[in-house]
Amino acid sequence: MLSIVIIGTGNVATHLFNTFLSYDTLNVLQVVGRSEDSLAYFANKTKTSLISNTIEIADIYIIAVSDDAIAEVSEKLKNQKGLVVHTSGSVAMSILKPHQNKGIFYPLQTFTKSKLVNFRAIPICIEATQKKDLKTLYFLAETISNHVHEVSSEQRKHLHLAAVFVNNFSNYMYTLGNEICEEHKVPFHILKPLITETAEKINDITPLQAQTGPARRNDVETMQRHLDQLTTKEQKNIYKLISESIQKKYGKEL
Amino acid sequence: MLSIVIIGTGNVATHLFNTFLSYDTLNVLQVVGRSEDSLAYFANKTKTSLISNTIEIADIYIIAVSDDAIAEVSEKLKNQKGLVVHTSGSVAMSILKPHQNKGIFYPLQTFTKSKLVNFRAIPICIEATQKKDLKTLYFLAETISNHVHEVSSEQRKHLHLAAVFVNNFSNYMYTLGNEICEEHKVPFHILKPLITETAEKINDITPLQAQTGPARRNDVETMQRHLDQLTTKEQKNIYKLISESIQKKYGKEL
């Protein structure tokens, strides 16, 4: 049985907490937060504590707070003997410098409070300097997920940036599509099968092969018509820049 | 039984042809193309013909050619009595002006030759001026798909533009993510569950609600780090423009 203390009360902390609860081999001893308010959700499910109070002795301490608070929390945990990890995609492991036993436990997923997640399908990137700690992280990660990857801090930094493109930015493309539909009273849901197919396609072929559309085939007339159709400068600029980039990428073969 | 002539030999024509073949109530009499070469694929499966030769008498003629060739093909079919439709997302129905019985049969999907498609999940947008023709199009569309929508030429124009954002542009975000992974020798496939989840999420919440990431939370430091990390001007410009647009969109609540 692995004993766990979670520091943090946000999306990642909450989703991890709820997932850990469902496994007998994991025991969340305590959730640590900044305020009584933020701890209310956890209060009747496990021990809770403010960061300034006593922290339980655990096998692993998971720091799931915003990037810029990790260093401070790490410092406050400096007397704990267990393994200390954080869950951030973009912060190096070295930030946990007070700790001899340190590591990373980064679930590569987009968490929103309102949506349940199935951790089994979520890739978890782990890292540690000590063999024993890596073993602990493998155990924890493989308990909850089918996709566990050992990834260095350097690799993780790039993975996180790539994730901004494939997740944050593609979601924003959905938002712009939705905006266009709403403006012209076309039901956005008509596009949902297309969105699903676009994502699924790249399980079979690379996104480079999967590219279609006016920019891909250098259809200048359609692109001009689209630009005329768009109503905001915002939309026009984004349409232009991405189209030009696609045209350049495939330019050699045109 | 509905008799069909397909004019065109590209992706859309080929996928429609193969799908129609599997239904007893649909009979593809002929595929019409520009050259013997382009017709070779169809030659042993149905009658084929060059556009200059005799066209069969059919209930419906489906023009599945590139946008700029539709008018010319439509003109060449002017002596045919049946219903004439085209499959384009962005060309108005009025382009089929020689025909009294005209309509639209627009499958809203991204077709690549190398990937099989399941038409049942593909939305088909139909339009016609005559009630009888609309009935024919409903019959044809509902035979092959579960998602049939009656959409005007004006609506279709905007839907097609929205599709460029949700499909072409989000696929290009995958390409850029892939590029970053390749540059730094991180396996892109780690990101695939995230891509799937990003697309699925908007079945439950709007893309506006689903937005996460540094731009969404106005995390200026992370964004600057990302910009420093990116290696091409292309990547940097796209990162900047989309991030700024996200920041503006959520600016009011920050």
Side-chain angles (χ1 to χ4, degrees):
Chain A
M1 178 110 110
L2 194 71
S3 61
I4 303 167
V5 167
I6 296 175
I7 302 97
T9 56
N11 280 336
V12 177
T14 307
H15 284 293
L16 282 177
F17 175 76
N18 284 323
T19 300
F20 290 162
L21 277 194
S22 59
Y23 294 96
D24 288 343
T25 50
L26 308 178
N27 180 20
V28 182
L29 295 178
Q30 191 182 30
V31 174
V32 177
R34 242 196 290 236
S35 67
E36 296 293 351
D37 268 9
S38 65
L39 288 164
Y41 173 83
F42 307 92
N44 54 0
K45 300 179 186 92
T46 187
K47 278 188 212 167
T48 60
S49 168
L50 295 175
I51 184 92
S52 45
N53 295 348
T54 312
I55 311 283
E56 299 282 319
I57 292 169
D59 295 319
I60 179 165
Y61 298 84
I62 300 179
I63 304 178
V65 301
S66 63
D67 288 0
D68 50 10
I70 295 174
E72 189 194 329
V73 169
S74 163
E75 187 59 34
K76 284 193 176 147
L77 292 175
K78 72 171 172 231
N79 293 325
Q80 308 298 328
K81 293 274 170 270
L83 169 60
V84 176
V85 302
H86 73 66
T87 59
S88 165
S90 57
V91 177
M93 185 169 62
S94 55
I95 202 168
L96 305 170
K97 53 180 173 306
H99 303 280
Q100 222 202 328
N101 299 92
K102 52 178 166 287
I104 301 296
F105 189 86
Y106 167 47
L108 210 168
Q109 191 52 277
T110 161
F111 297 103
T112 21
K113 268 220 171 88
S114 51
K115 172 116 169 43
L116 271 179
V117 293
N118 168 20
F119 263 95
R120 294 245 66 87
I122 296 180
I124 297 184
C125 302
I126 57 171
E127 183 185 6
T129 43
Q130 319 259 3
K131 248 193 183 146
K132 194 194 81 189
D133 297 336
L134 201 60
K135 222 176 126 188
T136 304
L137 289 177
Y138 263 116
F139 173 77
L140 180 61
E142 288 179 340
T143 298
I144 65 169
S145 163
N146 298 337
H147 306 276
V148 180
H149 306 277
E150 211 184 315
V151 165
S152 71
S153 282
E154 180 65 18
Q155 283 183 311
R156 181 164 40 84
K157 194 174 79 176
H158 298 298
L159 203 53
H160 182 257
L161 176 53
V164 168
F165 280 89
V166 305
N167 164 247
N168 302 160
F169 290 175
S170 66
N171 181 75
Y172 195 59
M173 297 302 119
Y174 306 160
T175 294
L176 295 176
N178 192 9
E179 208 173 87
I180 293 166
C181 286
E182 280 180 358
E183 262 178 54
H184 302 284
K185 311 235 183 313
V186 190
F188 179 63
H189 75 84
I190 298 184
L191 291 167
K192 288 192 177 167
L194 179 63
I195 289 174
T196 305
E197 172 66 12
T198 308
E200 275 175 15
K201 216 174 183 179
I202 58 158
N203 286 315
D204 301 317
I205 54 178
T206 69
L208 204 69
Q209 294 169 319
Q211 190 67 54
T212 57
R216 167 68 181 90
R217 55 176 195 271
N218 206 19
D219 178 348
V220 183
E221 269 180 55
T222 300
M223 284 188 275
Q224 188 52 56
R225 225 170 31 232
H226 281 167
L227 282 171
D228 295 341
Q229 238 173 283
L230 290 167
T231 54
T232 74
K233 218 183 113 195
E234 207 81 15
Q235 294 168 344
K236 280 180 208 281
N237 286 341
I238 290 176
Y239 186 95
K240 242 171 140 168
L241 186 66
I242 299 180
S243 292
E244 281 165 11
S245 182
I246 294 174
Q247 284 176 288
K248 257 185 252 171
K249 178 138 332 244
Y250 294 91
K252 288 159 219 143
E253 36 172 299
L254 286 165
Chain B
M1 179 108 110
L2 194 70
S3 60
I4 303 168
V5 168
I6 295 175
I7 302 98
T9 55
N11 280 337
V12 176
T14 307
H15 284 294
L16 282 177
F17 175 76
N18 284 324
T19 300
F20 291 163
L21 277 196
S22 60
Y23 294 95
D24 287 344
T25 51
L26 308 178
N27 180 20
V28 182
L29 295 179
Q30 191 182 31
V31 174
V32 178
R34 244 196 286 233
S35 69
E36 297 292 351
D37 268 8
S38 65
L39 289 165
Y41 174 84
F42 308 93
N44 55 358
K45 301 180 184 92
T46 188
K47 279 188 210 163
T48 59
S49 168
L50 294 175
I51 185 91
S52 45
N53 295 348
T54 313
I55 311 283
E56 298 283 318
I57 293 170
D59 296 319
I60 179 165
Y61 299 84
I62 301 179
I63 304 177
V65 301
S66 63
D67 287 1
D68 48 9
I70 295 173
E72 191 194 330
V73 170
S74 162
E75 188 59 33
K76 284 193 175 145
L77 293 175
K78 71 169 175 238
N79 294 324
Q80 308 299 328
K81 293 274 171 271
L83 169 60
V84 176
V85 302
H86 74 67
T87 60
S88 164
S90 56
V91 178
M93 184 169 62
S94 55
I95 202 166
L96 304 169
K97 54 180 174 306
H99 303 280
Q100 220 200 329
N101 299 93
K102 52 178 166 287
I104 300 297
F105 188 85
Y106 167 46
L108 209 168
Q109 191 53 275
T110 160
F111 297 104
T112 20
K113 266 215 175 98
S114 51
K115 171 115 169 49
L116 271 179
V117 295
N118 167 20
F119 262 97
R120 294 244 67 85
I122 296 181
I124 297 183
C125 302
I126 58 171
E127 182 184 5
T129 44
Q130 317 258 5
K131 248 198 182 137
K132 193 193 82 188
D133 297 336
L134 200 60
K135 222 177 124 187
T136 303
L137 289 177
Y138 263 117
F139 172 76
L140 180 61
E142 288 178 341
T143 298
I144 65 170
S145 163
N146 299 335
H147 305 275
V148 180
H149 306 276
E150 211 183 316
V151 165
S152 71
S153 282
E154 179 65 17
Q155 283 183 310
R156 182 165 37 85
K157 194 173 78 178
H158 298 298
L159 203 52
H160 182 258
L161 176 52
V164 169
F165 280 89
V166 305
N167 165 247
N168 302 162
F169 289 175
S170 65
N171 181 74
Y172 195 59
M173 297 302 118
Y174 306 159
T175 294
L176 295 177
N178 193 8
E179 210 172 85
I180 294 166
C181 285
E182 279 179 357
E183 263 178 56
H184 302 282
K185 312 237 184 312
V186 191
F188 179 62
H189 75 84
I190 298 184
L191 290 166
K192 288 190 177 168
L194 179 63
I195 290 173
T196 306
E197 171 67 13
T198 307
E200 274 176 15
K201 216 174 182 180
I202 60 158
N203 287 314
D204 301 316
I205 55 179
T206 68
L208 203 67
Q209 292 168 322
Q211 190 66 53
T212 56
R216 168 68 182 88
R217 55 175 194 273
N218 206 20
D219 178 348
V220 183
E221 270 179 56
T222 299
M223 284 187 277
Q224 190 50 56
R225 226 170 27 232
H226 282 167
L227 283 171
D228 295 341
Q229 239 174 283
L230 290 166
T231 54
T232 74
K233 218 184 114 191
E234 208 81 17
Q235 294 169 344
K236 280 181 209 277
N237 284 342
I238 290 176
Y239 186 96
K240 239 172 142 169
L241 187 66
I242 300 181
S243 292
E244 280 165 10
S245 182
I246 295 174
Q247 283 175 289
K248 257 187 248 168
K249 177 136 335 240
Y250 294 91
K252 287 161 217 139
E253 36 174 296
L254 284 167

PDB file of all heavy atoms in Angstrom, chain A residues 115-138:
ATOM      1  N   LYS A 115     -15.750  18.117 -16.150  1.00  0.00           N
ATOM      2  CA  LYS A 115     -15.747  16.908 -16.980  1.00  0.00           C
ATOM      3  C   LYS A 115     -14.961  15.791 -16.305  1.00  0.00           C
ATOM      4  O   LYS A 115     -13.798  15.960 -15.971  1.00  0.00           O
ATOM      5  CB  LYS A 115     -15.141  17.258 -18.351  1.00  0.00           C
ATOM      6  CG  LYS A 115     -14.887  16.088 -19.268  1.00  0.00           C
ATOM      7  CD  LYS A 115     -15.717  16.144 -20.528  1.00  0.00           C
ATOM      8  CE  LYS A 115     -15.295  15.141 -21.587  1.00  0.00           C
ATOM      9  NZ  LYS A 115     -14.972  13.790 -21.147  1.00  0.00           N
ATOM     10  N   LEU A 116     -15.607  14.647 -16.099  1.00  0.00           N
ATOM     11  CA  LEU A 116     -14.926  13.493 -15.534  1.00  0.00           C
ATOM     12  C   LEU A 116     -13.844  12.995 -16.487  1.00  0.00           C
ATOM     13  O   LEU A 116     -14.009  13.062 -17.686  1.00  0.00           O
ATOM     14  CB  LEU A 116     -15.931  12.360 -15.304  1.00  0.00           C
ATOM     15  CG  LEU A 116     -16.618  12.351 -13.948  1.00  0.00           C
ATOM     16  CD1 LEU A 116     -17.605  11.205 -13.871  1.00  0.00           C
ATOM     17  CD2 LEU A 116     -15.604  12.251 -12.808  1.00  0.00           C
ATOM     18  N   VAL A 117     -12.747  12.488 -15.961  1.00  0.00           N
ATOM     19  CA  VAL A 117     -11.725  11.934 -16.844  1.00  0.00           C
ATOM     20  C   VAL A 117     -11.489  10.469 -16.504  1.00  0.00           C
ATOM     21  O   VAL A 117     -11.644  10.048 -15.365  1.00  0.00           O
ATOM     22  CB  VAL A 117     -10.378  12.687 -16.738  1.00  0.00           C
ATOM     23  CG1 VAL A 117     -10.501  14.098 -17.260  1.00  0.00           C
ATOM     24  CG2 VAL A 117      -9.850  12.686 -15.313  1.00  0.00           C
ATOM     25  N   ASN A 118     -11.116   9.717 -17.514  1.00  0.00           N
ATOM     26  CA  ASN A 118     -10.767   8.327 -17.325  1.00  0.00           C
ATOM     27  C   ASN A 118      -9.246   8.216 -17.370  1.00  0.00           C
ATOM     28  O   ASN A 118      -8.640   8.262 -18.431  1.00  0.00           O
ATOM     29  CB  ASN A 118     -11.406   7.497 -18.436  1.00  0.00           C
ATOM     30  CG  ASN A 118     -10.860   6.087 -18.482  1.00  0.00           C
ATOM     31  OD1 ASN A 118     -10.288   5.604 -17.502  1.00  0.00           O
ATOM     32  ND2 ASN A 118     -11.021   5.430 -19.609  1.00  0.00           N
ATOM     33  N   PHE A 119      -8.639   8.080 -16.208  1.00  0.00           N
ATOM     34  CA  PHE A 119      -7.178   8.077 -16.135  1.00  0.00           C
ATOM     35  C   PHE A 119      -6.534   6.923 -16.888  1.00  0.00           C
ATOM     36  O   PHE A 119      -5.397   7.014 -17.308  1.00  0.00           O
ATOM     37  CB  PHE A 119      -6.708   8.068 -14.673  1.00  0.00           C
ATOM     38  CG  PHE A 119      -6.366   9.431 -14.166  1.00  0.00           C
ATOM     39  CD1 PHE A 119      -7.287  10.184 -13.469  1.00  0.00           C
ATOM     40  CD2 PHE A 119      -5.123   9.983 -14.407  1.00  0.00           C
ATOM     41  CE1 PHE A 119      -6.978  11.452 -13.005  1.00  0.00           C
ATOM     42  CE2 PHE A 119      -4.802  11.245 -13.946  1.00  0.00           C
ATOM     43  CZ  PHE A 119      -5.726  11.986 -13.250  1.00  0.00           C
ATOM     44  N   ARG A 120      -7.266   5.838 -17.068  1.00  0.00           N
ATOM     45  CA  ARG A 120      -6.683   4.688 -17.779  1.00  0.00           C
ATOM     46  C   ARG A 120      -6.150   5.087 -19.151  1.00  0.00           C
ATOM     47  O   ARG A 120      -5.173   4.532 -19.635  1.00  0.00           O
ATOM     48  CB  ARG A 120      -7.711   3.554 -17.956  1.00  0.00           C
ATOM     49  CG  ARG A 120      -8.171   2.889 -16.665  1.00  0.00           C
ATOM     50  CD  ARG A 120      -7.744   1.414 -16.600  1.00  0.00           C
ATOM     51  NE  ARG A 120      -6.309   1.244 -16.527  1.00  0.00           N
ATOM     52  CZ  ARG A 120      -5.589   1.243 -15.408  1.00  0.00           C
ATOM     53  NH1 ARG A 120      -6.158   1.379 -14.245  1.00  0.00           N
ATOM     54  NH2 ARG A 120      -4.275   1.097 -15.452  1.00  0.00           N
ATOM     55  N   ALA A 121      -6.809   6.062 -19.788  1.00  0.00           N
ATOM     56  CA  ALA A 121      -6.421   6.470 -21.146  1.00  0.00           C
ATOM     57  C   ALA A 121      -5.453   7.652 -21.144  1.00  0.00           C
ATOM     58  O   ALA A 121      -5.026   8.099 -22.192  1.00  0.00           O
ATOM     59  CB  ALA A 121      -7.674   6.826 -21.939  1.00  0.00           C
ATOM     60  N   ILE A 122      -5.122   8.155 -19.977  1.00  0.00           N
ATOM     61  CA  ILE A 122      -4.279   9.351 -19.908  1.00  0.00           C
ATOM     62  C   ILE A 122      -2.806   8.967 -19.803  1.00  0.00           C
ATOM     63  O   ILE A 122      -2.417   8.217 -18.908  1.00  0.00           O
ATOM     64  CB  ILE A 122      -4.678  10.222 -18.703  1.00  0.00           C
ATOM     65  CG1 ILE A 122      -6.103  10.738 -18.886  1.00  0.00           C
ATOM     66  CG2 ILE A 122      -3.694  11.371 -18.506  1.00  0.00           C
ATOM     67  CD1 ILE A 122      -6.598  11.614 -17.763  1.00  0.00           C
ATOM     68  N   PRO A 123      -1.947   9.499 -20.706  1.00  0.00           N
ATOM     69  CA  PRO A 123      -0.519   9.229 -20.583  1.00  0.00           C
ATOM     70  C   PRO A 123       0.032   9.908 -19.328  1.00  0.00           C
ATOM     71  O   PRO A 123      -0.312  11.051 -19.039  1.00  0.00           O
ATOM     72  CB  PRO A 123       0.079   9.899 -21.831  1.00  0.00           C
ATOM     73  CG  PRO A 123      -1.067  10.261 -22.699  1.00  0.00           C
ATOM     74  CD  PRO A 123      -2.261  10.389 -21.836  1.00  0.00           C
ATOM     75  N   ILE A 124       0.851   9.168 -18.597  1.00  0.00           N
ATOM     76  CA  ILE A 124       1.517   9.775 -17.442  1.00  0.00           C
ATOM     77  C   ILE A 124       3.022   9.712 -17.673  1.00  0.00           C
ATOM     78  O   ILE A 124       3.580   8.644 -17.944  1.00  0.00           O
ATOM     79  CB  ILE A 124       1.112   9.076 -16.135  1.00  0.00           C
ATOM     80  CG1 ILE A 124      -0.398   9.276 -15.943  1.00  0.00           C
ATOM     81  CG2 ILE A 124       1.887   9.645 -14.950  1.00  0.00           C
ATOM     82  CD1 ILE A 124      -0.946   8.729 -14.663  1.00  0.00           C
ATOM     83  N   CYS A 125       3.662  10.885 -17.602  1.00  0.00           N
ATOM     84  CA  CYS A 125       5.103  10.974 -17.803  1.00  0.00           C
ATOM     85  C   CYS A 125       5.779  11.035 -16.444  1.00  0.00           C
ATOM     86  O   CYS A 125       5.457  11.897 -15.624  1.00  0.00           O
ATOM     87  CB  CYS A 125       5.448  12.212 -18.615  1.00  0.00           C
ATOM     88  SG  CYS A 125       4.625  12.239 -20.211  1.00  0.00           S
ATOM     89  N   ILE A 126       6.708  10.102 -16.231  1.00  0.00           N
ATOM     90  CA  ILE A 126       7.381  10.065 -14.934  1.00  0.00           C
ATOM     91  C   ILE A 126       8.879  10.265 -15.107  1.00  0.00           C
ATOM     92  O   ILE A 126       9.446  10.046 -16.176  1.00  0.00           O
ATOM     93  CB  ILE A 126       7.101   8.742 -14.181  1.00  0.00           C
ATOM     94  CG1 ILE A 126       7.530   7.542 -15.038  1.00  0.00           C
ATOM     95  CG2 ILE A 126       5.636   8.632 -13.801  1.00  0.00           C
ATOM     96  CD1 ILE A 126       7.493   6.225 -14.281  1.00  0.00           C
ATOM     97  N   GLU A 127       9.503  10.713 -14.013  1.00  0.00           N
ATOM     98  CA  GLU A 127      10.942  10.946 -14.013  1.00  0.00           C
ATOM     99  C   GLU A 127      11.422  10.881 -12.563  1.00  0.00           C
ATOM    100  O   GLU A 127      10.697  11.309 -11.661  1.00  0.00           O
ATOM    101  CB  GLU A 127      11.246  12.338 -14.601  1.00  0.00           C
ATOM    102  CG  GLU A 127      12.736  12.645 -14.701  1.00  0.00           C
ATOM    103  CD  GLU A 127      13.015  14.081 -15.182  1.00  0.00           C
ATOM    104  OE1 GLU A 127      12.066  14.862 -15.324  1.00  0.00           O
ATOM    105  OE2 GLU A 127      14.201  14.399 -15.394  1.00  0.00           O
ATOM    106  N   ALA A 128      12.594  10.350 -12.350  1.00  0.00           N
ATOM    107  CA  ALA A 128      13.196  10.352 -11.000  1.00  0.00           C
ATOM    108  C   ALA A 128      14.686  10.103 -11.158  1.00  0.00           C
ATOM    109  O   ALA A 128      15.132   9.566 -12.176  1.00  0.00           O
ATOM    110  CB  ALA A 128      12.564   9.273 -10.125  1.00  0.00           C
ATOM    111  N   THR A 129      15.473  10.515 -10.149  1.00  0.00           N
ATOM    112  CA  THR A 129      16.918  10.274 -10.227  1.00  0.00           C
ATOM    113  C   THR A 129      17.297   8.938  -9.611  1.00  0.00           C
ATOM    114  O   THR A 129      18.222   8.283 -10.059  1.00  0.00           O
ATOM    115  CB  THR A 129      17.718  11.393  -9.520  1.00  0.00           C
ATOM    116  OG1 THR A 129      17.071  11.692  -8.283  1.00  0.00           O
ATOM    117  CG2 THR A 129      17.766  12.639 -10.378  1.00  0.00           C
ATOM    118  N   GLN A 130      16.564   8.520  -8.589  1.00  0.00           N
ATOM    119  CA  GLN A 130      16.881   7.276  -7.888  1.00  0.00           C
ATOM    120  C   GLN A 130      16.032   6.122  -8.433  1.00  0.00           C
ATOM    121  O   GLN A 130      14.830   6.287  -8.628  1.00  0.00           O
ATOM    122  CB  GLN A 130      16.580   7.434  -6.390  1.00  0.00           C
ATOM    123  CG  GLN A 130      16.992   8.774  -5.814  1.00  0.00           C
ATOM    124  CD  GLN A 130      18.300   8.673  -5.050  1.00  0.00           C
ATOM    125  OE1 GLN A 130      18.941   7.609  -4.995  1.00  0.00           O
ATOM    126  NE2 GLN A 130      18.722   9.788  -4.450  1.00  0.00           N
ATOM    127  N   LYS A 131      16.674   4.978  -8.580  1.00  0.00           N
ATOM    128  CA  LYS A 131      15.986   3.798  -9.105  1.00  0.00           C
ATOM    129  C   LYS A 131      14.741   3.437  -8.287  1.00  0.00           C
ATOM    130  O   LYS A 131      13.693   3.115  -8.827  1.00  0.00           O
ATOM    131  CB  LYS A 131      16.950   2.604  -9.112  1.00  0.00           C
ATOM    132  CG  LYS A 131      17.302   2.181 -10.526  1.00  0.00           C
ATOM    133  CD  LYS A 131      17.973   0.841 -10.552  1.00  0.00           C
ATOM    134  CE  LYS A 131      18.372   0.528 -12.005  1.00  0.00           C
ATOM    135  NZ  LYS A 131      19.620  -0.233 -12.056  1.00  0.00           N
ATOM    136  N   LYS A 132      14.895   3.474  -6.967  1.00  0.00           N
ATOM    137  CA  LYS A 132      13.808   3.120  -6.050  1.00  0.00           C
ATOM    138  C   LYS A 132      12.597   4.047  -6.266  1.00  0.00           C
ATOM    139  O   LYS A 132      11.445   3.611  -6.273  1.00  0.00           O
ATOM    140  CB  LYS A 132      14.322   3.251  -4.608  1.00  0.00           C
ATOM    141  CG  LYS A 132      13.450   2.623  -3.542  1.00  0.00           C
ATOM    142  CD  LYS A 132      13.866   3.093  -2.153  1.00  0.00           C
ATOM    143  CE  LYS A 132      13.274   4.456  -1.878  1.00  0.00           C
ATOM    144  NZ  LYS A 132      13.725   5.136  -0.672  1.00  0.00           N
ATOM    145  N   ASP A 133      12.894   5.324  -6.467  1.00  0.00           N
ATOM    146  CA  ASP A 133      11.821   6.309  -6.669  1.00  0.00           C
ATOM    147  C   ASP A 133      11.114   6.083  -8.005  1.00  0.00           C
ATOM    148  O   ASP A 133       9.896   6.227  -8.107  1.00  0.00           O
ATOM    149  CB  ASP A 133      12.391   7.730  -6.620  1.00  0.00           C
ATOM    150  CG  ASP A 133      12.985   8.054  -5.265  1.00  0.00           C
ATOM    151  OD1 ASP A 133      12.568   7.414  -4.273  1.00  0.00           O
ATOM    152  OD2 ASP A 133      13.865   8.928  -5.200  1.00  0.00           O
ATOM    153  N   LEU A 134      11.897   5.732  -9.000  1.00  0.00           N
ATOM    154  CA  LEU A 134      11.319   5.462 -10.309  1.00  0.00           C
ATOM    155  C   LEU A 134      10.368   4.271 -10.213  1.00  0.00           C
ATOM    156  O   LEU A 134       9.288   4.269 -10.809  1.00  0.00           O
ATOM    157  CB  LEU A 134      12.447   5.174 -11.307  1.00  0.00           C
ATOM    158  CG  LEU A 134      12.091   5.355 -12.774  1.00  0.00           C
ATOM    159  CD1 LEU A 134      11.661   6.777 -13.078  1.00  0.00           C
ATOM    160  CD2 LEU A 134      13.279   4.983 -13.657  1.00  0.00           C
ATOM    161  N   LYS A 135      10.770   3.282  -9.424  1.00  0.00           N
ATOM    162  CA  LYS A 135       9.937   2.099  -9.225  1.00  0.00           C
ATOM    163  C   LYS A 135       8.610   2.488  -8.559  1.00  0.00           C
ATOM    164  O   LYS A 135       7.538   2.027  -8.958  1.00  0.00           O
ATOM    165  CB  LYS A 135      10.689   1.087  -8.344  1.00  0.00           C
ATOM    166  CG  LYS A 135      10.543  -0.350  -8.814  1.00  0.00           C
ATOM    167  CD  LYS A 135      11.375  -1.288  -7.970  1.00  0.00           C
ATOM    168  CE  LYS A 135      10.492  -2.400  -7.426  1.00  0.00           C
ATOM    169  NZ  LYS A 135      11.187  -3.251  -6.442  1.00  0.00           N
ATOM    170  N   THR A 136       8.698   3.341  -7.562  1.00  0.00           N
ATOM    171  CA  THR A 136       7.491   3.826  -6.884  1.00  0.00           C
ATOM    172  C   THR A 136       6.577   4.556  -7.876  1.00  0.00           C
ATOM    173  O   THR A 136       5.361   4.346  -7.896  1.00  0.00           O
ATOM    174  CB  THR A 136       7.867   4.801  -5.745  1.00  0.00           C
ATOM    175  OG1 THR A 136       8.763   4.132  -4.852  1.00  0.00           O
ATOM    176  CG2 THR A 136       6.636   5.263  -4.989  1.00  0.00           C
ATOM    177  N   LEU A 137       7.185   5.392  -8.702  1.00  0.00           N
ATOM    178  CA  LEU A 137       6.384   6.163  -9.663  1.00  0.00           C
ATOM    179  C   LEU A 137       5.752   5.266 -10.720  1.00  0.00           C
ATOM    180  O   LEU A 137       4.606   5.469 -11.117  1.00  0.00           O
ATOM    181  CB  LEU A 137       7.244   7.247 -10.321  1.00  0.00           C
ATOM    182  CG  LEU A 137       7.628   8.396  -9.391  1.00  0.00           C
ATOM    183  CD1 LEU A 137       8.542   9.385 -10.099  1.00  0.00           C
ATOM    184  CD2 LEU A 137       6.379   9.112  -8.871  1.00  0.00           C
ATOM    185  N   TYR A 138       6.503   4.253 -11.163  1.00  0.00           N
ATOM    186  CA  TYR A 138       5.918   3.284 -12.090  1.00  0.00           C
ATOM    187  C   TYR A 138       4.716   2.599 -11.448  1.00  0.00           C
ATOM    188  O   TYR A 138       3.673   2.432 -12.076  1.00  0.00           O
ATOM    189  CB  TYR A 138       6.962   2.228 -12.509  1.00  0.00           C
ATOM    190  CG  TYR A 138       7.628   2.528 -13.837  1.00  0.00           C
ATOM    191  CD1 TYR A 138       8.994   2.785 -13.911  1.00  0.00           C
ATOM    192  CD2 TYR A 138       6.895   2.539 -15.025  1.00  0.00           C
ATOM    193  CE1 TYR A 138       9.620   3.054 -15.126  1.00  0.00           C
ATOM    194  CE2 TYR A 138       7.511   2.815 -16.244  1.00  0.00           C
ATOM    195  CZ  TYR A 138       8.865   3.074 -16.295  1.00  0.00           C
ATOM    196  OH  TYR A 138       9.467   3.355 -17.498  1.00  0.00           O
TER     197      TYR A 138
END
